[in-house]
Amino acid sequence: MALRLFNSRSRSLELFVPIEAAEVSIYVCGMTPSWHPHIGHARTFLTFDVLRRHLMAKGRKATYVQNITDIDDKIIERAAAEHEPWEAIVRRYYGEYEACARRLGLLEPDVSPRATEHVPAIIAMIRGLVESGAAYETSDGVYFAVERFPAYGRLSNRQIDELRAGARIAVREEKHDWLDFALWKKQKPGEPAWPSPWGDGRPGWHIECSALAREYLGDQFDIHGGASDLIFPHHENEIAQTESLTAREPMARIWMHAGLVMVDGQKMSKSLGNFLPLTTLLDRYPAAAIRFLFLQTGYRKPTNFTEDAVEAAVKGLRGLYAELDALRLRSSNGRPALSGGSSDSAFDDFEAYLDDDLNTAGALGWLQKTMRGGLVTPTLVDRCLNVLGLPLRGADAGFDSPSREVRLDEPARRALRELTDDRPASDAALVERVLALRGAARTAKDFATSDKLRAALAAAGISIKDTKDGTDWSLDGHR
RNA sequence: GGCGACAUAGCCAAGUGGUAAGGCAGAGCUCUGCAAAAGCUCCAUCCCCAGUUCGAAUCUGGGUGUCGCCUCCA
């Protein structure tokens, strides 16, 4: 089986042939921690997480570099707005990202390099570009001269002249060309700065990725990824910088871009500010359901994110685990689940979907169909779930386990206390106590009392369900 | 205006020449004191028009529509 990936640069599906067969090198643009991580970050990094898992399942080692752009205009703005040092802003929001990444089950990058810790490498690269004439200095910085790079526009399929035609009236530009972009920004009062041959300042956006990718993966590597909003200008500029300097192309064999997430049919963006922090979302829904949601869609398609969609994903995932439990039960009862074909060939079927440009939606459909038909063993399902990064058990995904930590609001607590004689220590114990009373009433067939207690719990925001193993309960809106 | 992507049931979504995966919702049934959960069953001819072909959701041409990028963004 051979992996085929859609290469943005050629706009076609290509057979993936790594530079070195055994080890794949991947660079993905990470986040600029100037604000809360959002659902779009989750989609992008989930995409590349599945790519890594799939490569690993195929027996390849993947070196994965995901940078942190820890200095830029937005961070400086944010720091000013919050009256804090820029480092504190970075620490807060990147820390938040890391927590979300853990909850989503993202494999840790092999390297998470920071722009500010690689200023010398960045300066060296800019110096090289200046010396070769591809960049020039002005009073406020150092700029890359786009006209010196003939392939400019190839990734984003754009004609340089057309880009120029769309230019706004330049106000203060000392730039030779409207398209030229900053490699180095000279310090303005109050801004953080690092020393350089062009005076104190900081790296422009774009150069850090060129420098970091080169530092850890070399002049040329296999896959460069990010979300599709980075194609222009960010990735276009990266290519211009790196390939001008090294005179080797392509910088990356395959350029992969994840589709954007929209909210309520509208593009989500920093400037519109129309997004929910990821943390809030993960507090409301199981992280595995968020992963499942995106696995159901091709990674390149723009996706409209809605509450309904997450809720459908929660239900769908719960159903998958129910199916899996049933399969495990059947197979432990001595009924060999597999009728025809070996387990390996079934896994091949599964992998074939992922080989087809990471068709996770198709893979998921296949998995559910074969599970229902009893055509796979639980062990095989486990392997598949591992590749997709989903927990192997529903309980680990946040299903089926009652909330142990509960905080009732005061009126609810008072109402429940009136129903019992003793004074349980915690809210959870209080709920358990009321449930016990209801259980007793049910045993005595006193359904009037039983229903009254159910209603009281519902009023306190607790929903319950009877199962053959006892009564399960949860706070509404959780799990 | 330029470039690009997409258009499959109420919703989400696979499928790239051989007669429409999967999920959610909905309907029916089983189970059930109630409420859930779970199980079984049912539920589309693929935006429009014209072609190519024995055969097209899948290829070609022409429409229409939606979205994205062209400015900070995953």
Side-chain angles (χ1 to χ4, degrees), chain A residues 289-304:
Chain A
I290 304 291
R291 181 183 278 262
F292 186 72
L293 174 67
F294 288 123
L295 289 172
Q296 286 178 299
T297 306
Y299 77 91
R300 290 195 284 131
K301 272 196 159 186
T303 293
N304 192 21

Side-chain angles (χ1 to χ4, degrees), chain A residues 243-316:
Chain A
E243 294 184 2
S244 287
L245 187 78
T246 65
R248 302 174 73 180
E249 71 96 29
M251 168 191 186
R253 291 204 164 182
I254 306 260
W255 286 82
M256 285 177 73
H257 291 99
L260 299 183
V261 176
M262 297 183 292
V263 172
D264 298 326
Q266 207 189 13
K267 189 196 135 155
M268 176 175 65
S269 73
K270 275 189 186 170
S271 54
L272 293 173
N274 59 341
F275 65 82
L276 236 50
L278 233 198
T279 305
T280 307
L281 214 57
L282 291 174
D283 285 344
R284 296 240 295 266
Y285 302 98
I290 304 291
R291 181 183 278 262
F292 186 72
L293 174 67
F294 288 123
L295 289 172
Q296 286 178 299
T297 306
Y299 77 91
R300 290 195 284 131
K301 272 196 159 186
T303 293
N304 192 21
F305 183 86
T306 61
E307 297 270 302
D308 284 355
V310 204
E311 267 155 30
V314 170
K315 288 176 185 168

Side-chain angles (χ1 to χ4, degrees), chain A residues 95-115:
Chain A
E96 194 176 323
Y97 165 78
E98 285 184 303
C100 290
R102 265 194 301 280
R103 293 167 80 176
L104 285 166
L106 298 177
L107 299 171
E108 269 188 42
D110 295 296
V111 193
S112 303
R114 290 169 184 253

Side-chain angles (χ1 to χ4, degrees), chain A residues 73 136-144 171-176 180-189 191 196 198-204:
Chain A
D73 296 356
Y136 56 90
E137 184 177 359
T138 70
S139 65
D140 68 342
V142 179
Y143 289 85
F144 184 90
V171 188
R172 44 130 185 108
E173 301 298 0
E174 269 179 66
K175 294 194 295 189
H176 300 355
D180 294 351
F181 53 91
L183 299 171
W184 188 259
K185 295 185 169 187
K186 294 185 181 174
Q187 182 180 27
K188 296 193 188 103
E191 287 184 350
S196 85
W198 314 280
D200 291 354
R202 61 192 159 91

